[in-house]
Amino acid sequence: MKSQIKVFAPATVANVACGFDILGFAVDYPGDEVILKPMKKPGVSIVKITGDKGKLSMIPEKNTASVSVLSFLKHINSNQGIEIELIKKMPLGSGLGSSAASAVAGVFAVNELLGRPLQKEELLPFALEGERLACGTAHADNAAPSLIGGMILIRSYNPLDIIQIPTPKDLFCTIIHPQIEIRTEDARKMLKKQIPLKDATTQLGNIAGLITGLIKEDFNLIQRSMEDVIAEPVRSILIPGFYDVKTAALDTGALGCSISGSGPSIFAFSTSKKIAEEVGNAMQSVLSNLEINSEIFVSKINQTGPVIIED
Ligand code: HSE
């Protein structure tokens, strides 16, 4: 067995406007890293966490990375001892799938360390245990794309049915992360439990249109379909200047723009890197006028998922 392994798992944009809890994609950066070491003594421990400003628990049962490792080891009936170092390279509570990236990095790393007893796709249920811990629900639209890469449709949760959707090669994503924090758990509680039939019909048309547009590389259809009538109208009140940021993105040439996951990050799709960068600058200047600091990430859709960066 290797004496240690270091793994990177990417951030993700969940919901992708109209696909609440059923659609998400991975980006090239940011992401989280873990270093795992096998230990003689059974048990999983977290020895170090950096980049979390002291906010994450080092108790193995209370950290998404270690919870995913613990549930994996239980599943394969292993009492292998594991030491985990977690290197957070993205903000917490940002809407970028921070808890999912840590969970995916952890479970991918332990599977590799132990000689790959399971296929990558089979690791998803263990990463979802991390999500359950982080926000009370095992939603898969961050963990699945972080693990598998690309644009992922969760066709069903019970049983889990995960489908990778092809995307146009010239599709670029801009993410702007306003430096405020929103807890996913809170942003989920505010959603209405009942949806009027009219809104359900609108949303279904848009999700079908978005997926068709991605597969057919029909940018005009993607543009028409990037509308969310369920989560965005409710959650946008948590993000100062959201509609001004969105207008700035669309006026600068973005195909569409919505909240990334449960926010506060906002994402937009564009058809070139140049437009995607201009969109980021336009979004940032709206936030700067509101005296809100922000970071911009421009990326293609990451097709790889987690990678070993050192072993
Ligand atoms: N689909 C989830 C939500 C993603 O919107 O609550 C959270 O990142």
Side-chain angles (χ1 to χ4, degrees):
M1 197 184 303
K2 293 166 184 152
S3 61
Q4 74 167 50
I5 188 169
K6 186 173 184 182
V7 162
F8 165 89
T12 43
V13 170
N15 301 338
V16 202
C18 47
F20 178 73
D21 273 3
I22 62 159
L23 196 64
F25 63 89
V27 291
D28 289 336
Y29 79 108
D32 280 348
E33 292 170 6
V34 292
I35 299 171
L36 260 61
K37 288 184 188 158
M39 303 307 288
K40 285 215 174 77
K41 195 168 158 253
V44 173
S45 58
I46 300 182
V47 288
K48 191 173 172 191
I49 305 179
T50 47
D52 69 327
K53 298 186 179 143
K55 289 184 183 167
L56 293 177
S57 174
M58 289 184 68
I59 300 168
E61 289 75 21
K62 291 191 177 169
N63 182 290
T64 67
S66 41
V67 161
S68 69
V69 171
L70 281 164
S71 72
F72 168 88
L73 291 174
K74 188 171 172 210
H75 176 85
I76 64 161
N77 274 321
S78 167
N79 61 1
Q80 174 66 51
I82 301 282
E83 245 182 39
I84 303 177
E85 178 179 343
L86 175 58
I87 305 151
K88 293 298 296 178
K89 294 209 151 173
M90 66 167 127
L92 310 178
S94 58
L96 291 172
S98 173
S99 52
S102 297
V104 165
V107 74
F108 182 85
V110 69
N111 190 48
E112 291 295 316
L113 201 58
L114 301 190
R116 211 176 292 164
L118 297 185
Q119 296 298 308
K120 188 165 89 161
E121 290 71 18
E122 294 173 317
L123 302 176
L124 184 58
F126 315 111
L128 292 184
E129 288 310 312
E131 285 296 67
R132 195 190 305 283
L133 172 83
C135 75
T137 338
H139 63 88
D141 49 344
N142 292 112
S146 184
L147 178 67
I148 293 158
M151 177 77 68
I152 299 291
L153 169 68
I154 296 112
R155 205 275 313 156
S156 155
Y157 273 83
N158 191 13
L160 259 182
D161 188 1
I162 304 296
I163 295 142
Q164 193 180 43
I165 307 290
T167 50
K169 74 171 181 357
D170 291 329
L171 193 63
F172 284 82
C173 171
T174 309
I175 296 170
I176 186 121
H177 169 235
Q179 283 174 5
I180 51 176
E181 195 174 317
I182 295 177
R183 291 182 65 231
T184 298
E185 195 171 357
D186 299 337
R188 292 183 77 83
K189 278 190 193 138
M190 61 192 295
L191 296 176
K192 293 180 196 141
K193 297 288 172 287
Q194 307 284 331
I195 301 164
L197 188 58
K198 190 166 120 321
D199 289 348
T201 309
T202 304
Q203 199 85 356
L204 291 169
N206 281 329
I207 189 70
L210 177 57
I211 288 174
T212 308
L214 291 167
I215 295 170
K216 290 175 74 175
E217 307 201 358
D218 181 339
F219 287 119
N220 192 283
L221 179 54
I222 294 172
Q223 183 171 34
R224 298 201 300 282
S225 307
M226 285 183 69
E227 179 199 19
D228 171 20
V229 296
I230 294 177
E232 183 184 293
V234 182
R235 288 174 165 176
S236 52
I237 57 166
L238 299 175
I239 308 170
F242 172 77
Y243 285 106
D244 291 336
V245 171
K246 179 169 174 165
T247 302
L250 298 178
D251 287 351
T252 312
L255 291 174
C257 173
S258 190
I259 301 170
S260 174
S262 54
S265 291
I266 302 168
F267 84 100
F269 278 147
S270 299
T271 52
S272 75
K273 189 170 182 211
K274 183 170 174 287
I275 300 174
E277 284 169 351
E278 288 167 3
V279 164
N281 292 336
M283 292 162 115
Q284 190 165 53
S285 79
V286 173
L287 291 172
S288 300
N289 288 340
L290 296 170
E291 296 182 357
I292 299 171
N293 289 332
S294 60
E295 294 169 275
I296 304 170
F297 306 102
V298 173
S299 163
K300 280 195 157 188
I301 294 185
N302 171 324
Q303 301 293 341
T304 317
V307 283
I308 299 170
I309 47 180
E310 254 176 56
D311 59 4

